[in-house]
Amino acid sequence: MSTFVHVEKIDMQSNTRKMIGEPVVVEVPVNIFVNNKFVTTLFALPKLKRELALGWLFDEGILQSLDEIKEVVVNQSNVNVITKGPIKEEALQAVGVAACGSSINKFLMTISKAVEQPVESSYKVKAYDIIRFVKELDRSKLYRLTRGVHVAAIFESGKLVAFAEDIGRHNAVDKVIGISIESRVNFSNSVLVSSGRQPADMVLKTARMKIPIVVSIAAPIYSGIIAAEKTGVTLVCHAKSHQIRVYTHPYRILL
Amino acid sequence: MSTFVHVEKIDMQSNTRKMIGEPVVVEVPVNIFVNNKFVTTLFALPKLKRELALGWLFDEGILQSLDEIKEVVVNQSNVNVITKGPIKEEALQAVGVAACGSSINKFLMTISKAVEQPVESSYKVKAYDIIRFVKELDRSKLYRLTRGVHVAAIFESGKLVAFAEDIGRHNAVDKVIGISIESRVNFSNSVLVSSGRQPADMVLKTARMKIPIVVSIAAPIYSGIIAAEKTGVTLVCHAKSHQIRVYTHPYRILL
């Protein structure tokens, strides 16, 4: 999680240098296998590895249902997901390389094709609740200690059901999705809140899970706005204590 | 670079919602080819594509000298680097997959092996100059406008010689390295300053270029401290207006 290092602190006001102790974040490689076949390595905080792997396999579109899974074996850095039936080779190959050798048009087509069925939930939340959700991100002690992690949370019908922190903003989202899948959260009544910027790849993770509302305290990226628009996701960014900005499908946010 | 979107701003204090215009960052896929062969796609701001590709090829260890290059052809999203001689297949394959299927020990070994010859520069800078460098990062208008980008800069003998902004903290570093390579900056007398956190992959980009001092306004990650320690790089993080923290090889920082 975090480890202690010695660091020389130089203070310009007092013109001094002294050694101090400081906690810093530790990341490890987490290797994801499906049916003993290596799929990818994510660099992540060494916590919730099982949930990270599950969330990633679902929100990247490789798995669709818990019923497909026979067992999940976690062995140190390796998470091996054994499925009941075979997994389509194309599904595994499509991940991460969707945009390789891409043009801008292909990139935008990838976004619009990524979710064939848009998110159609009629779930709505109050702006005030969004602010309440955002405040919950502060529960990350590791963030307060190190300033070196991202955080994510999922709220189902207004209630916190998953919370995770990670060095990568993608990993933090994968983890809360993994936690929610295992506890069979109803995504169509859920809000995903995180500390990371929102380009298309982030928004698409949420859209694939049919989560209707994505909130970030950080900025949106143009591709993320397009992805949210096309997939029917309500994208809220720059969420602060007194105001929020709704980039797409604002009808789900009530005053 | 940035584009204008319409966003619904909800203000909780005045209990109002209204449409406002706002600039957001646009990223595009940049496809890097070496001798017409596809190598990777980076998602980046559509500026300094040539420098991005060059910087990436150098700081990932694929190219070592400008003399190896015959020409660089930029065609929309594609940058094709044509070399005078053949490029070793292993060099291209090693990139990005070095840690796949990795254990924690292999990960640490990758770090320690990545730079066979440590950075041995005796270049030193004053803590006061570090603060001056950090202030220069504020010159990014795009950052002030959108809060959606990272910035990086290189200072050679105390003078700003390269500046770049990008959606990715890695890309911003690749770009300033690319700019510096083309203007034949002396890396051994240089400081790289950026806004991004510093895990091993970030520090190693700098170490491969033999840049002795890396400064960030953000946090270090444990792997970045190990990488800096082993490669002889002076790693300064949490650099603020009145203090800096030196994690490794502090002898290069003078009061």
Side-chain angles (χ1 to χ4, degrees), chain A residues 22 31 102 148 197 245 247, chain B residues 22 31 102 148 197 245 247:
Chain A
E22 187 188 278
N31 308 306
S102 206
R197 287 174 299 158
R245 295 181 179 213
Y247 292 82
Chain B
E22 188 188 278
N31 308 305
S102 204
R197 287 174 299 158
R245 294 182 179 213
Y247 292 81

Side-chain angles (χ1 to χ4, degrees), chain A residues 41 92 142 152 188 240:
Chain A
T41 296
L92 289 174
L142 195 65
S188 70
K240 291 169 198 152

Side-chain angles (χ1 to χ4, degrees), chain A residues 31 38 54 64 72 95 97 128 132 143 242 251:
Chain A
N31 308 306
F38 172 74
L54 277 183
Q64 272 78 39
V72 182
V95 174
V97 294
Y128 174 84
R132 180 169 63 84
Y143 176 72
H242 59 287
Y251 64 90

